[in-house]
C-alpha cells in the first residue's frame, strides 16, 4: 500500500477543494478550477483587489500549493550547516527549513509531480498539501495586518525576503515566509482554515484591506537560488 | 467665563466652538479643550464627589492622572475629564452623587458618619444580623462604586484589538528626556518607538513656555523615523514586554532596550481641608492657563517647597493669571527667582505654608503659618484671601515602570523623594525620573540614555561611543543638589479638620495613624487596611504623603518605611482593551459545512467543532443497528511513522507488538506512561514494510505526537520519521449491516468479507476518491473507516450519504460504543488505571523481547489485583446515573465512580461503565450508585451488553 490517499488528486473526477473555499464563497468569491483545484478566481472587482494590494492589504488563498515534507537521515544533514531562518527560492516555489533533517518544499500544483520525482532520492517524502492551508497577505499594510494576530518579529531587518519563521499564528501553530518586501505567505493547519480566514479578514478590514484573487497579488521578485 | 487671552502655546482654537451637555444642561467649549477645561472655563468648580464622604472634588492635576474629575461620557463611566478631549455633542454626567452634584445626600457620611466609618470599618460592621446581609449588600453597592455601566450589553460592546510591535528601543515618556533619548537612538540607526500619555509629546515643556522647543524635538524625531504613540499609556513592564494602551488598541511592544523617561508627579501638601475645590497642583493650574487659556482663579496663591513654586508663579503671570502671593516653605531662597517674583508684583512669603483651607463649596481663602519640623504651627496664623491655591510638594519620580522592571526605590534625603536605583541592564532611566532637575540635565540624560541603548544593540560607531561617554561624564560632574524644604507629614494648626493624604479613597492622616495604632504599622499593612493608594490614581499623589505620616507615627525613617510594591496597570484600563479580539481557535473538518446544512447540534469536543447529533439521537442510533450510519471522525489523530526502524519504534512505545503486523493489517494499541498507566489508545495499520499509519484519540493527537517525538529524540539510533497528518485527512466511519452494500456500490473493488476482513486495511477508490479503508468497528456493527485527503472529504461524504447512509453524531456514537464497552480514554480511565484494570490486558505483550515504555510497571501489576476495575452495569429501574456519580457501599462510603452512562434504545435499558473495587467485578453483583439525592441500584456486567461475541462486527 502507498501513501497516495494522503495526496489530493487533481486529475480525479472530484476536484480537490481548498479548506478556505466555503468562507471565501461566503465573502463573495467567484470560483474556478485551476491546476485541478476548485478555488477562488477573484472577488468580483479586480480593480479594487489590485488597489488593495497596492495601497493597503489583500489576502488570497494559496492552499492548493503543493507542500512536501522531506526528511533525510541525520548523517546527511550536519546540524552546523543548518540555516533555520532562510528559505531557498526554487523555480515556482520554496524550500523552507524546519530542522537539520526536515524541510518543507513548496511549489505550484502543476510542478508537484516533478518536485516529488526530484526529491524522492533525497529522503522520505510526505505530502502535507492537505494538512496545511495557506494565505498570501500582501500590500504596504501586510505586516501591520499580521501584527494584529501574530507576535513574530517580521520587520524587514529581522526577517528579510526569503526569511522563514515557524511560530504561533493567531494562537495556532503555523509558519510565516516573507516572499517579498510586502508579501507574506502564512501557513497553518487546514482544520483551522475558517478560523484563520475570519481572523485575517477581520484584521485586514480594520486596515482597509480585503480578500483578493491570486491575480491581484504582487509578483515574487526573489530569484531562484541554487544552494 | 474665565478664558484668558489667546497666547502662543495654547491648544485651543478660539474660533472653533463645540457644544456638549453636562448633567443635561447645554455647555460649550473650544476645539482643543478637555472636558474639564471647558467646564472650568464656564465656572464649574465641583467635578465629582469623593468616594466615602461625598465631599466636593475639584480639578487637581489637569492632566488625567488624578481621580477628582471622573465623569461618565456618553454612557461610559470612569472617564477622567481633565485628560479627555472634548468632542461635539458629548453627553457628560457626574458620578457618585445623588440626587445631584451640587446637593448630594450622601454627604451625611462626612457630616455625621465619621465616627462610624473609620478605616477598615467594613471588616467590623454590616455583619450581624446575617439575614440582613442582602439588604446591606444592596445599599452598599448603590452607595459605593464610581459610575455605572450601561444596562444594555450592546452599549457596552466596542471593537478592541492588539497590535504587536517589535523595536530596538522603546522610550516611555515623551517629555524633554524622552524626546531627546528617542532622537539620539534613532539618529544612531535604531528602530525606535516612543509613547506618551498626553495628546502631544513635550511634557512640561509645553506648558512651561517652551512649546516651540518641544514641537521642534517632535518634528526631529519623526524625521529620524521614530514612531510616536501619543495618547499611549504604558501599562506595565512584563519581562521586556510593555503593553501600551491607545484608544481601542493595545500595542504590545517588545523592545530590545527600554528608556524610562516617565518624569515626576508633583505632590500635594497635607493640611486641614486640603481637598476644597480650588486647591490644585501648581502644574494643574499652569496647564489650565497655558494650554487651554483658562484662568484657574481670580486671586491665586502658589505654595511650594522649592524653586518650582516660584517658576510656576512667574509663568502663570506671563499668561495672564493674577498671582497675588507665593508661599515658600524654605526659610532662605537663593538665586534670581525671588527678585523676579517680586518684580512681577507677587508677594513672596518664605518659611511658611498653608495650614488650613477655608470655604464651604469652594476655596475662599487659606490660613498660613510657619511650622516646626513636626508640622506644628509656630507663631501667628495669617489668613489670605484666594480662590485658587496651587500647591507644589516635592516632585515624586513616576518610577512604577522602573520598579516593575526590577529597580529599587531608595529615599533620597536631599531630594526628599524616593528615587529608582539599580535598574536592570536592559532599562535606561532618563530625565526627571532619574533625579535630574534642570532642563539641560534632563535633555542630556535623555541623549545619554538613548545613545547607550542604541550602542548596546550594536548601532553607532567608536566615535559615537566616545561622545556618549563624554556626555555621561559631564552629567555626573554637573550634579547639583536641589534646594528643597522637606514638607511635613501634616501642617497642623491644632484644630479639628480633615487633612487628606489620599483624595481618591478619602483617607486622612488621622486614618493612617489610627490604623498604625491598631497594629497595621507597615506600609503594606497600612495600605491594605486603610486602602490608601488603592484608588483610581493608584497612589500617584498619596503614596509619599502616607509614607510620611506612617514614618512620623511609627518613628521610623522614610527609607525604613519604604514604598508598596509597584504593580501594573499604571492606569485604570478597560477590560475590553486587555481582551483584544476574541481569538478562539476552532478546528473544523472538511465536512463541517454538511453538518451545518443538516442542522446538527454542533458543540466543542476539545478544540474541534463537532456534530453531537442531527436532531434525533434515537433514530440515528437505530439507523446504525438496522441499516447504515455515517459519522465524521476526521478529528482522530493520524500519524505517519516510517523508516526501517518504524516497527521497532512502535514496539518500544506500545505494550503490544506492532512490528509483527503484516502490511494491510490493523491492530488496536493502547499507550501507557512509564508507570504503566493508560495515556491514549488507537489503531495501527501497516501500509508497507517501512510505513505505519497510527491513529490516536481526538484530544490526544498533539500529546501523542509529542510523546513519539520525545522518545525518537532519546533513541537517535533508530532510523524513523514521524509526520502528523491529522488535519490533512478526512475520516468517516460507515457502520451498520448495510454498510458493505453501500461501499460496494461506490467502488469497483471487491469488498466482500473475504477480500476485506475484520482488521484489514486496504487502498480503495471510493466514489472516485482514493481512500485508505480500515475495517474496524468502534460502534459494534459491521463497519469501515474511510480515510482520504481532506480536500476530497466532502465529495466522499456526499457520495456515501447519497447511497442511503444516515449521518449520526457524537452522542449516538457514545451510546453505541458503550454497548460494546469500548472505553474512552480520559473518561473511562483515570491517571491511575493500567490496561489490566480496564480489561485491556490482551494488549500487553510482556513476552516481547524489547523493553517498552511502562514494562517494569506492568510486570509489577500483571499478577496483582488492580486497585480498581472497570466494569459494565445496568440499572433495572431504568434510571440513568450522572457521569461522575459515586458507587457506595452499604454504609455510604465511596468505593467507586460511574464513568459513563446512557439509555440504550436498542437494548431498552440504561447501561454504563464504572470503576469499582475488584471484589465487585463479577457478573450479577449488586452495586449502589449515589447520585445527588438518588440512590440507584445497578447490576454489574463484565461482558459487552450488545453482541458480546462480536459476530456483527466480524460479519
Amino acid at each position: 500500500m502507498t501513501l497516495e490517499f494522503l495526496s489530493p488528486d487533481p486529475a480525479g473526477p472530484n476536484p480537490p477543494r481548498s479548506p478556505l473555499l466555503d468562507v471565501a464563497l461566503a465573502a463573495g468569491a467567484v470560483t474556478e478550477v485551476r491546476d485541478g483545484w476548485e478555488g477562488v478566481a477573484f472577488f468580483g472587482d479586480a480593480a479594487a483587489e489590485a488597489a488593495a494590494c497596492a495601497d493597503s492589504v489583500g489576502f488570497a488563498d494559496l492552499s492548493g500549493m503543493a507542500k512536501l515534507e522531506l526528511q533525510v537521515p541525520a548523517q546527511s544533514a550536519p546540524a552546523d550547516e543548518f540555516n533555520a531562518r532562510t528559505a531557498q527560492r526554487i523555480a515556482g516555489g520554496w524550500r523552507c527549513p524546519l530542522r537539520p533533517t526536515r524541510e518543507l518544499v513548496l511549489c505550484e500544483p502543476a510542478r508537484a509531480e516533478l518536485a516529488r520525482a526530484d526529491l524522492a532520492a533525497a529522503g522520505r517524502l510526505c505530502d502535507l498539501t492537505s494538512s496545511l492551508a495557506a494565505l498570501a497577505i500582501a500590500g504596504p499594510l501586510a505586516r501591520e495586518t499580521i501584527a494584529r494576530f501574530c507576535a513574530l518579529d517580521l520587520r524587514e531587518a529581522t526577517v528579510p525576503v526569503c526569511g522563514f519563521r515557524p511560530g504561533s499564528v493567531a494562537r495556532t501553530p503555523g509558519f510565516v515566509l516573507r516572499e517579498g518586501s510586502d508579501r507574506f505567505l502564512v501557513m497553518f493547519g487546514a482544520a483551522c482554515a475558517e478560523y484563520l480566514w475570519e481572523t485575517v479578514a477581520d484584521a485586514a478590514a480594520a486596515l482597509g484591506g480585503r480578500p483578493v484573487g491570486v491575480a491581484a497579488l504582487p509578483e515574487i521578485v526573489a530569484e531562484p537560488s541554487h544552494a | 467665563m474665565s478664558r484668558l487671552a489667546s497666547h502662543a502655546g495654547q491648544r485651543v482654537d478660539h474660533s472653533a466652538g463645540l457644544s456638549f451637555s453636562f448633567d443635561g444642561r447645554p455647555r460649550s467649549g473650544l476645539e482643543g479643550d478637555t472636558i474639564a477645561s471647558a467646564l472650568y472655563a464656564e465656572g464649574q468648580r465641583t467635578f465629582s464627589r469623593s468616594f466615602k464622604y461625598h465631599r466636593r472634588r475639584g480639578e487637581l492635576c489637569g492632566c488625567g492622572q488624578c481621580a477628582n474629575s471622573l465623569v461618565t461620557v456618553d454612557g461610559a463611566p470612569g472617564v477622567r475629564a481633565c485628560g479627555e478631549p472634548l468632542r461635539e455633542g458629548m453627553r457628560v454626567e457626574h458620578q457618585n452623587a445623588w440626587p445631584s452634584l451640587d446637593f448630594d445626600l450622601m454627604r451625611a457620611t462626612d457630616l455625621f458618619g465619621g465616627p462610624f466609618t473609620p478605616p477598615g470599618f467594613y471588616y467590623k460592621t454590616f455583619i450581624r444580623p446575617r439575614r440582613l446581609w442582602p439588604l446591606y449588600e444592596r445599599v452598599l453597592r448603590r452607595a459605593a462604586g464610581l459610575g455605572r455601566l450601561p444596562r444594555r450589553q450592546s452599549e457596552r460592546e466596542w471593537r478592541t484589538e492588539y497590535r504587536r510591535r517589535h523595536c530596538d528601543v522603546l522610550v516611555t515618556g515623551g517629555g524633554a528626556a524622552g524626546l531627546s533619548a528617542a532622537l539620539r537612538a534613532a539618529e544612531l540607526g535604531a528602530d525606535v518607538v516612543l509613547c506618551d500619555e498626553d495628546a502631544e509629546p513635550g511634557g512640561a515643556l509645553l506648558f512651561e513656555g517652551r512649546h516651540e522647543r518641544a514641537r521642534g524635538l517632535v518634528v526631529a524625531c519623526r524625521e529620524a523615523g521614530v514612531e510616536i504613540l501619543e495618547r499611549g499609556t504604558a501599562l506595565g513592564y512584563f519581562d521586556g514586554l510593555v503593553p501600551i494602551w491607545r484608544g481601542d488598541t493595545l500595542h504590545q511592544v517588545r523592545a530590545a532596550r527600554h528608556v524610562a523617561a516617565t518624569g515626576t508627579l508633583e505632590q500635594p501638601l497635607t493640611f486641614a481641608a486640603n481637598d476644597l475645590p480650588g486647591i490644585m497642583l501648581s502644574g494643574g493650574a499652569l496647564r489650565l492657563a497655558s494650554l487651554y487659556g483658562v484662568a484657574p482663579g481670580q486671586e491665586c496663591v502658589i505654595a511650594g517647597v522649592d524653586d518650582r513654586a516660584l517658576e510656576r508663579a512667574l509663568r502663570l503671570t506671563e499668561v495672564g493669571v493674577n498671582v497675588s502671593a507665593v508661599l515658600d516653605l524654605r526659610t532662605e531662597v537663593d538665586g534670581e527667582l525671588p527678585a523676579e517674583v517680586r518684580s512681577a508684583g507677587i508677594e513672596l512669603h518664605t518659611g511658611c505654608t498653608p495650614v488650613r483651607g477655608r470655604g464651604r463649596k469652594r476655596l475662599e481663602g487659606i490660613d498660613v503659618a510657619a511650622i516646626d519640623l513636626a508640622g506644628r504651627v509656630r507663631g501667628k496664623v495669617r489668613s489670605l484671601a484666594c480662590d485658587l491655591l496651587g500647591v507644589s510638594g516635592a516632585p515624586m519620580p513616576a518610577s512604577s515602570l522602573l520598579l516593575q522592571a526590577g529597580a529599587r526605590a531608595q529615599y533620597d534625603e536631599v531630594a526628599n523623594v524616593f528615587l529608582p536605583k539599580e535598574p536592570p541592564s536592559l532599562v535606561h532611566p532618563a530625565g526627571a525620573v532619574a533625579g535630574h532637575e534642570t532642563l539641560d540635565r534632563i535633555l542630556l540624560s535623555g541623549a545619554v540614555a538613548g545613545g547607550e541603548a542604541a550602542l548596546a544593540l550594536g548601532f553607532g560607531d567608536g566615535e559615537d561611543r566616545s561622545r556618549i561617554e563624554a556626555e555621561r561624564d559631564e552629567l555626573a560632574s554637573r550634579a547639583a543638589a536641589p534646594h528643597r524644604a522637606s514638607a511635613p507629614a501634616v501642617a497642623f494648626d491644632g484644630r479639628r479638620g480633615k487633612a487628606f493624604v489620599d483624595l481618591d479613597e478619602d483617607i486622612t492622616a488621622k486614618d493612617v495613624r489610627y490604623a498604625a495604632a491598631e497594629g497595621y504599622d507597615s506600609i503594606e499593612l497600612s495600605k491594605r487596611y486603610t486602602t490608601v493608594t488603592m484608588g483610581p490614581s493608584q497612589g500617584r499623589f498619596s503614596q509619599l504623603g502616607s509614607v510620611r505620616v506612617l514614618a512620623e507615627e511609627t518613628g521610623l525613617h522614610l527609607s525604613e518605611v519604604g514604598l508598596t510594591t509597584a504593580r501594573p496597570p499604571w492606569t485604570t484600563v478597560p477590560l475590553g482593551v486587555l481582551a483584544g479580539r476574541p481569538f478562539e481557535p476552532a478546528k473544523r473538518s472538511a465536512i463541517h459545512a454538511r453538518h451545518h446544512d443538516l442542522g446538527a447540534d454542533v458543540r466543542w469536543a476539545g478544540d474541534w467543532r463537532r456534530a453531537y447529533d442531527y436532531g434525533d439521537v434515537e433514530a440515528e442510533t437505530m439507523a446504525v443497528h438496522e441499516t447504515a450510519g455515517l459519522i465524521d471522525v476526521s478529528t482522530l489523530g493520524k500519524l505517519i511513522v516510517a523508516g526501517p526502524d518504524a516497527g521497532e519504534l512502535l514496539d518500544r512505545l506500545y505494550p503490544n507488538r506492532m512490528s509483527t503486523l503484516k502490511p494491510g493489517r490493523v491492530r488496536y494499541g493502547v499507550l501507557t506512561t512509564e508507570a504503566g498507566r493508560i495515556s491514549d489508545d488507537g489503531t495501527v495499520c501497516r501500509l508497507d514494510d517501512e510505513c505505519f499509519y497510527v491513529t490516536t484519540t481526538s484530544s490526544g493527537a498533539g500529546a501523542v505526537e509529542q510523546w513519539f517525538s520525545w522518545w525518537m529524540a532519546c533513541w537517535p539510533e533508530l532510523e524513523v520519521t514521524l509526520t502528523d497528518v491529522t488535519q490533512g485527512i478526512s475520516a468517516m466511519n460507515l457502520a451498520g449491516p448495510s454498510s458493505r452494500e453501500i461501499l460496494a456500490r461506490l467502488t469497483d473493488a471487491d469488498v466482500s468479507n473475504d477480500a476485506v476482513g475484520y482488521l484489514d486495511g486496504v487502498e480503495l477508490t471510493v466514489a472516485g476518491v482514493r481512500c485508505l479503508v480500515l475495517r474496524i468497528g468502534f460502534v459494534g456493527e459491521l463497519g469501515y473507516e474511510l480515510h482520504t485527503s481532506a480536500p476530497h472529504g466532502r465529495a466522499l461524504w456526499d457520495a456515501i450519504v447519497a447511497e442511503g447512509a444516515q449521518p449520526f453524531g457524537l452522542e449516538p456514537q457514545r451510546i453505541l460504543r458503550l454497548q460494546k464497552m469500548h472505553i474512552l480514554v480520559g473518561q473511562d480511565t483515570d491517571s491511575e488505571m493500567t490496561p489490566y484494570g480496564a480489561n485491556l490486558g490482551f494488549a500487553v505483550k510482556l513476552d516481547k523481547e524489547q523493553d517498552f515504555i511502562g514494562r517494569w510497571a506492568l510486570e509489577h501489576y500483571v499478577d496483582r489485583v488492580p486497585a480498581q476495575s472497570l466494569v459494565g452495569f445496568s440499572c433495572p429501574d431504568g434510571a440513568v446515573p450522572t457521569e461522575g456519580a459515586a458507587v457506595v457501599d452499604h454504609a455510604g462510603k465511596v468505593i467507586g465512580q460511574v464513568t459513563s452512562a446512557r439509555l440504550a434504545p436498542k437494548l431498552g435499558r440504561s447501561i454504563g461503565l464504572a470503576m469499582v473495587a475488584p471484589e465487585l467485578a463479577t457478573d450479577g453483583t449488586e452495586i449502589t450508585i449515589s447520585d445527588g439525592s438518588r440512590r440507584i441500584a445497578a447490576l454489574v456486567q463484565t461482558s459487552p451488553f450488545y453482541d458480546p461475541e462480536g459476530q456483527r462486527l466480524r460479519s
Side-chain angles (χ1 to χ4, degrees), chain B residues 454-492:
Chain B
L455 286 173
L457 296 173
F459 297 101
D461 56 23
E463 216 174 286
D464 297 314
R465 190 173 296 279
S466 301
R467 175 168 57 125
I468 290 165
E469 279 173 8
E471 287 172 342
R472 194 187 317 123
D473 292 340
E474 187 188 342
L475 203 60
S477 70
R478 270 210 240 160
H483 179 202
R484 177 171 297 134
S486 177
V490 182
F492 180 54

Side-chain angles (χ1 to χ4, degrees), chain A residues 1-2 5-7 9 14 17 22 69 71 102 124 130 144 147-148 151 155 189-191 194 199 202, chain B residues 159 162-164 166-167 191 581 583 588 687 690 722-723 727-729 763 767 770 789 791-792 794:
Chain A
M1 289 198 290
T2 67
F5 72 96
L6 283 185
S7 300
D9 180 15
N14 306 294
R17 292 179 100 250
D22 284 336
E69 181 198 64
Q71 295 199 50
R102 180 184 286 201
R124 191 170 290 273
S130 308
E144 272 298 326
R148 297 300 190 266
R155 292 177 291 164
E194 184 177 326
T199 301
D202 177 74
Chain B
R159 182 194 166 85
Y162 285 9
R163 173 191 179 237
R164 286 93 178 161
H166 295 258
C167 63
D191 173 19
R581 302 302 294 146
F583 290 137
R588 295 177 176 84
L687 300 181
E690 294 188 359
L722 173 71
T723 307
Q727 297 186 48
I729 302 287
E763 274 186 283
R770 295 190 297 226
S789 165
H792 296 293
R794 184 182 304 188

Side-chain angles (χ1 to χ4, degrees), chain A residues 193-218:
Chain A
E194 184 177 326
Y195 159 69
L196 254 299
W197 176 277
E198 286 168 356
T199 301
V200 173
D202 177 74
L207 292 168
R210 56 168 295 154
V212 301
V214 173
L217 294 172

Side-chain angles (χ1 to χ4, degrees), chain A residues 21-104:
Chain A
L21 191 59
D22 284 336
V23 282
L25 283 168
V30 174
T31 61
E32 65 179 1
V33 176
R34 185 178 57 243
D35 294 327
W37 279 74
E38 188 178 358
V40 172
F42 74 137
F43 287 82
D45 189 340
E49 293 169 37
C53 290
D55 302 329
S56 57
V57 58
F59 57 99
D61 178 13
L62 291 183
S63 299
M65 174 189 305
K67 309 164 202 86
L68 306 173
E69 181 198 64
L70 176 65
Q71 295 199 50
V72 300
Q75 54 269 30
S76 68
D80 54 2
E81 291 176 13
F82 177 63
N83 179 344
R85 295 178 159 256
T86 305
Q88 182 191 345
R89 182 76 174 140
I90 58 176
W94 299 89
R95 294 180 73 145
C96 304
L98 297 175
R99 283 183 221 151
T101 56
R102 180 184 286 201
E103 65 179 314
L104 189 62

Side-chain angles (χ1 to χ4, degrees), chain B residues 20 32 48 77 94 160 368 382 415 460 484 561 623 675 706 716 868 953:
Chain B
F20 67 107
S48 68
H94 75 270
T160 61
V368 177
R382 288 173 292 139
R484 177 171 297 134
V561 175
Q706 281 188 22
Q868 291 206 303
L953 202 55

